[in-house]
């Protein structure tokens, strides 16, 4: 396992000794990742495009890469290793669905150096980010890799129906075997771009049971807060215009239904908050530059950013992502502070099994416990998001004050008095006219006789 677990996007290891994962140095692991993906994706380009078949989800391709090289593989200065690729045709289809060209995928993962991120959780996984901010590579456990394999047919069906989703976008599943050790990796979309500074970062599960960041976590440069911290720091929630709010909640509801159907639970919403006003006060610095000192460009992958993931159909991806927002969702606080929100569902490779049921039995603390049955978990998760985290901006309606209402009432009364007095005057005049007319007729009658 990794020897340290620091937090924060784009962070660096604090000690001079190179870190290891399963007795493999980080440099050797990154080198094996790039060599293996370079070979398998390059080899896949020679295979013609065709429809994905059911058996394609269970195919595993393997290649041996000795350090001295072979007829198929280049020489390298890392220990000999075997590289396995799971469901290569299925994942090629997923990459095509999101507009990822093979050359771009190779350039991001192979041609540019990978950036090692500090671990934002307690899983012990290693995280690598590509220099262009597009992809995250995460080490996963054997049970998580097996679960993803079983999930692929349903995942394929869901993406065909709803490519706009806050679920993780999986682009590849691989395994490195060396010295009797298996290191499994998954390539995913990057939720929090380094080019935008995250003033707040949260891991939200909709639970209040032990859901507060530890003192050690709070002392980090970029801490990841939890549910109770969010309630303390954003008591009124985050406000969106009506259309954005409806799209966001509709997407979350749909995604939670999918996760519930797969009996998936214990997932989180990774939420990054960029405060625009604070960024302007800090001199307009958006975030960290790329590994070569250049500012990362806007993400090119379709439906990759938060705004693209919740937008309705019919809007082009290139219109949604701009240099100003980097794909973030505009929002406000109750104090009218302008925000950009970045978010995505994470840690979905957890199914409801005996272990979860045992945890639920041991921690029998009612609705506040984090681990519950998938249906209950989804309902509680959505309720928390709908009532505590995301709010709809109410349209401004004119509501006169009591003093104004009294003034209006007085004005109405005086107007009515004026109108009634005018009516009385008209009535008097009419009576005088009628009396005068009657006298005139009487005099005429007298003259006639």
């Amino acid at each position: 396992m990794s020897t340290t677990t620091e937090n924060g996007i784009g962070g660096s290891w604090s000690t001079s000794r190179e870190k290891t994962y399963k007795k493999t140095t980080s440099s050797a692991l990154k080198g094996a990742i790039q060599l293996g993906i370079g070979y398998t994706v390059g080899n896949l380009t020679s295979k013609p495009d065709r429809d994905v078949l059911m058996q394609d989800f269970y195919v595993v391709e393997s290649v041996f890469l000795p350090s001295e090289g072979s007829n198929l593989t280049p020489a390298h200065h890392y220990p000999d290793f075997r590289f396995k690729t799971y469901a290569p045709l299925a994942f090629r289809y997923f990459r095509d669905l999101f507009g990822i060209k093979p050359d771009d995928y190779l350039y991001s993962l192979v041609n540019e150096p990978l950036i090692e991120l500090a671990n934002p959780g307690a899983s012990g996984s290693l995280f690598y980010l590509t220099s262009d901010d597009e992809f995250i590579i995460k080490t996963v456990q054997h049970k998580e890799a097996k679960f993803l394999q079983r999930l692929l047919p349903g995942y394929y069906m869901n993406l065909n129906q709803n490519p706009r989703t806050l679920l993780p976008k999986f682009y590849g599943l691989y395994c490195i075997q060396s010295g009797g050790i298996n290191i499994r990796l998954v390539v995913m979309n990057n939720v929090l771009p380094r080019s935008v500074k995250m003033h707040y970062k949260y891991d939200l599960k909709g639970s209040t049971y032990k859901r507060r960041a530890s003192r050690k976590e709070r002392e980090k440069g970029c801490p990841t807060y939890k549910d109770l911290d969010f309630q303390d720091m954003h008591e009124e929630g985050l406000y969106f215009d009506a259309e954005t709010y409806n799209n966001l909640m509709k997407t979350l509801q749909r995604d939670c239904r999918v996760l519930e159907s797969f009996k998936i639970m214990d997932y989180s919403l990774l939420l990054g908050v960029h405060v625009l006003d604070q960024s302007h006060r800090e001199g307009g610095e958006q975030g960290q530059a790329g590994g070569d000192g250049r500012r990362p460009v806007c993400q090119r992958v379709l439906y990759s950013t938060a705004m693209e993931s919740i937008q309705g159909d019919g809007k082009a991806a290139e219109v949604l992502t701009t240099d100003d927002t980097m794909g973030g969702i505009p929002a406000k606080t109750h104090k009218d502070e302008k925000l950009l929100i970045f978010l995505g569902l994470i840690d979905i490779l957890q199914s409801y099994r005996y272990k979860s049921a045992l945890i639920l039995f041991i921690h029998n603390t009612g609705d506040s416990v984090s681990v519950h049955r998938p249906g209950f978990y989804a309902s509680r998760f959505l309720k928390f998001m709908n009532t505590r985290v995301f709010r709809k901006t109410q349209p401004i309606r004119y509501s006169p004050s009591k003093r104004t209402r009294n003034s209006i009432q007085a004005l109405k009364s005086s107007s009515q008095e004026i109108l009634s007095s005018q009516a009385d005057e008209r009535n008097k005049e009419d009576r005088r006219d009628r009396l005068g007319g009657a006298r005139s007729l009487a005099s005429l009658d007298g003259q006639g006789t």
Side-chain angles (χ1 to χ4, degrees), residues 193 196 286 307 320-330 340-342:
V196 180
Q286 289 292 306
M307 179 60 84
L320 299 172
T321 303
T322 65
D323 289 333
D324 294 333
T325 66
M326 287 299 295
I329 303 174
L340 288 178
I341 304 300
F342 299 83

Side-chain angles (χ1 to χ4, degrees), residues 63-123:
V63 60
F64 182 64
L65 290 92
S67 57
E68 66 272 14
S70 67
N71 293 334
L72 300 175
T73 62
H76 56 86
H77 56 275
Y78 309 111
D80 299 349
F81 68 95
R82 181 172 296 278
F83 194 83
K84 290 185 176 182
T85 304
Y86 297 88
L89 290 177
F91 280 108
R92 180 175 69 175
Y93 174 85
F94 296 148
R95 295 193 294 269
D96 289 342
L97 183 65
F98 291 105
I100 304 173
K101 299 178 180 178
D103 290 345
D104 292 336
Y105 189 65
L106 283 174
Y107 186 85
S108 295
L109 291 167
V110 177
N111 289 21
E112 295 289 326
L114 299 177
I115 302 167
E116 185 174 350
L117 303 182
N119 182 19
S123 64

Side-chain angles (χ1 to χ4, degrees), residues 22-45:
K22 292 187 175 181
K23 300 181 181 180
T24 303
T25 63
S26 182
S27 59
L29 182 55
K30 287 190 288 186
I33 290 171
Q34 294 187 308
L35 283 170
I37 292 179
Y39 172 83
T40 187
V41 175
N43 185 53
L44 193 61
T45 57

